Amino acid sequence: MTLDIRDLSFSYRAGFLNNRLCPVLKGLNLELDSGEIGILLGKNGAGKTTLLKNILGIEKPDSGSVLIDGTDVLKMRRADRAKLISYVPQIIDFGDLTVYDTVMTGRISYMGLSPSRSDREAVEKILNDMALSDLADRSVEKLSGGERQKIAIARALVQDPKLLIFDEPTANLDISNEALVDTEMVRAARERGVAVMASLHDLNQAMVIGDRFFFLSNGHVVRHGGKEIISEELIEEVYGVSVKIMETGNTKFILRKEIQR
Ligand code: ADP
């Protein structure tokens, strides 16, 4: 699977008559392949969430397109799009469902009037793969933030998607829960061959899990590539803050040098 974003422009509409355009994405290009983890980076307000919404078909571009293996996502039937692309929200409110039933809601685009044997098998397999079987009958509300986020990932993966979208998936989690979620993102890419696209604000977390990095600024991807593109100059240019980069093994650590004056 290839995600191919071509010349994508998007504006929000504001004002009394919805006639004032606020351009956010201005002819943006991006490509991501199966099995890769792509990380969207850029200052708050750069347009990361807006781009993810355009990929999901929640927002419609003014011009340009989001193609999956050459097919425009907006031309797909909603159920077909849901099978290809899954979204893991940052804050999840499952209500009072059990873990099993919550994950089953991920099968809705496959289901007839009620879950079939193959739906039940798919749910059981994913719970087993993600070591969640012991929690199957527990209420999601009673679980920790990290466990809940894992269940959101299980619900997304049970759709058997080709592309998994995360918007700041660990923004509310402590370091151990962040590690749980990161592990599942990496497993989805490496073991299932899913393309993962995530927006992150933590550059060091991005370095640990990312394969491809896309820096958004002024409505464009201003730089993209593997870890080799990450430099003190680039971070300074995109975020306007001086940093020191330390390299150990395969990882780069980004340290902020000083407070803003
Ligand atoms: P990021 O995810 O990088 O922080 P967003 O995509 O959330 O950025 O926002 C990009 C820009 O679009 C910001 O200037 C934000 O204020 C604006 N914006 C976001 N949502 C809306 C909306 N629903 N209506 C109008 N402007 C919006």
Side-chain angles (χ1 to χ4, degrees):
M1 194 265 353
T2 301
L3 166 69
D4 185 5
I5 299 179
R6 287 206 196 145
D7 213 12
L8 187 80
S9 294
F10 175 85
S11 310
Y12 287 106
R13 279 159 206 283
F16 180 55
L17 294 171
N18 253 358
N19 55 356
R20 191 159 54 80
L21 290 181
C22 309
V24 177
L25 308 176
K26 305 170 188 167
L28 180 145
N29 292 288
L30 179 159
E31 258 187 52
L32 187 72
D33 286 320
S34 292
E36 288 185 328
I37 300 185
I39 309 286
L40 293 180
L41 296 164
K43 278 184 158 182
N44 291 338
K48 300 179 292 296
T49 299
T50 304
L51 175 58
L52 295 177
K53 285 182 176 167
N54 275 269
I55 297 173
L56 288 159
I58 297 170
E59 298 285 6
K60 295 186 176 44
D62 305 336
S63 60
S65 44
V66 175
L67 307 170
I68 298 225
D69 288 334
T71 304
D72 193 321
V73 293
L74 291 178
K75 301 221 167 88
M76 294 175 189
R77 288 172 46 224
R78 189 189 286 253
D80 293 336
R81 191 162 68 211
K83 286 177 195 166
L84 271 179
I85 313 174
S86 283
Y87 171 59
V88 182
Q90 187 186 104
I91 295 172
I92 33 187
D93 182 9
F94 292 124
D96 194 21
L97 291 180
T98 63
V99 167
Y100 184 95
D101 289 344
T102 302
V103 176
M104 184 62 85
T105 62
R107 294 292 297 180
I108 279 173
S109 49
Y110 287 88
M111 230 181 257
L113 286 177
S114 60
S116 66
R117 193 167 147 191
S118 66
D119 293 322
R120 278 192 287 273
E121 281 170 2
V123 171
E124 279 153 28
K125 179 161 188 333
I126 203 88
L127 290 177
N128 195 35
D129 284 356
M130 292 179 70
L132 289 168
S133 300
D134 289 349
L135 300 180
D137 298 327
R138 297 267 301 274
S139 162
V140 174
E141 278 185 339
K142 308 262 157 45
L143 302 178
S144 74
E147 283 170 333
R148 262 193 268 185
Q149 195 63 322
K150 243 180 107 167
I151 286 148
I153 297 172
R155 184 178 61 166
L157 285 174
V158 83
Q159 298 177 50
D160 203 15
K162 302 281 178 271
L163 174 63
L164 199 51
I165 304 274
F166 292 85
D167 193 2
E168 294 285 358
T170 53
N172 300 305
L173 300 181
D174 66 32
I175 188 169
S176 68
N177 283 307
E178 179 184 299
L180 266 184
V181 171
D182 284 354
T183 304
E184 295 307 330
M185 289 167 79
V186 171
R187 283 186 66 203
R190 302 288 177 269
E191 294 172 20
R192 295 170 183 273
V194 174
V196 173
M197 178 67 90
S199 71
L200 288 181
H201 65 255
D202 183 336
L203 291 164
N204 288 307
Q205 184 188 5
M207 290 302 105
V208 173
I209 61 172
D211 299 311
R212 320 261 317 146
F213 303 90
F214 302 95
F215 284 87
L216 264 65
S217 180
N218 293 320
H220 299 278
V221 172
V222 288
R223 280 296 294 279
H224 67 95
K227 271 188 197 136
E228 69 283 354
I229 67 159
I230 311 295
S231 66
E232 292 169 0
E233 295 72 30
L234 177 62
I235 304 299
E236 196 158 331
E237 181 192 320
V238 174
Y239 291 93
V241 63
S242 9
V243 294
K244 171 105 193 112
I245 295 188
M246 317 257 285
E247 289 192 45
T248 57
N250 189 28
T251 305
K252 289 182 173 177
F253 290 101
I254 298 154
L255 306 169
R256 194 157 45 82
K257 276 193 197 155
E258 55 198 30
I259 56 167
Q260 296 265 27
R261 288 174 209 285

